[in-house]
Amino acid sequence: MIPGGGQPNMQQLLQQAQKMQQNLAAAQEELARTPVEGSAGGGLVKATVTGAGELQGLVIDPKAVDPEDTETLADLIVAAVRDANQSAQELQQRKLGPLAQGLGGMPGLPF
């Protein structure tokens, strides 16, 4: 609601939306550059993803490699990547959550 019951200043609303869009784009860009790590098996397998969730690296300790038990290694890899992605999602919430909430307060926007 606009104080005094007047019509919203469309130019001001557009400027606010543009500013929020720029802030959102900057936060997304920062997330794409931010490495986040996850691990499994007490650190035997480590995965690095970007804050946007893109897998960037995988480190496997030779102690985790048993040619007779590749299933356990595969499980450790999946667990490490999931751990890294969970951390990336938490980072996304911290970076993007406040921006999305700000956009939700603008009339006419579907969030």
Side-chain angles (χ1 to χ4, degrees):
M1 215 51 180
I2 304 300
Q7 290 294 325
N9 180 333
M10 290 306 287
Q11 184 65 28
Q12 185 178 14
L13 287 175
L14 288 173
Q15 287 173 347
Q16 286 177 328
Q18 186 177 27
K19 176 78 170 142
M20 284 188 226
Q21 185 178 20
Q22 289 169 348
N23 291 344
L24 183 61
Q28 288 172 326
E29 196 174 302
E30 181 181 344
L31 284 171
R33 292 189 314 261
T34 304
V36 180
E37 281 196 4
S39 65
L44 290 175
V45 177
K46 296 178 185 173
T48 303
V49 299
T50 66
E54 180 183 342
L55 182 63
Q56 295 287 304
L58 192 59
V59 177
I60 302 170
D61 187 306
K63 291 182 269 184
V65 181
D66 178 357
E68 301 296 319
D69 185 14
T70 57
E71 287 180 21
T72 297
L73 178 58
D75 289 344
L76 289 172
I77 292 169
V78 169
V81 171
R82 281 186 182 150
D83 186 46
N85 277 326
Q86 177 64 37
S87 295
Q89 288 176 351
E90 290 168 7
L91 179 63
Q92 288 173 9
Q93 279 297 96
R94 286 194 308 271
K95 293 284 185 186
L96 300 179
L99 293 172
Q101 289 171 0
L103 288 173
M106 296 192 67
L109 294 179
F111 344 105

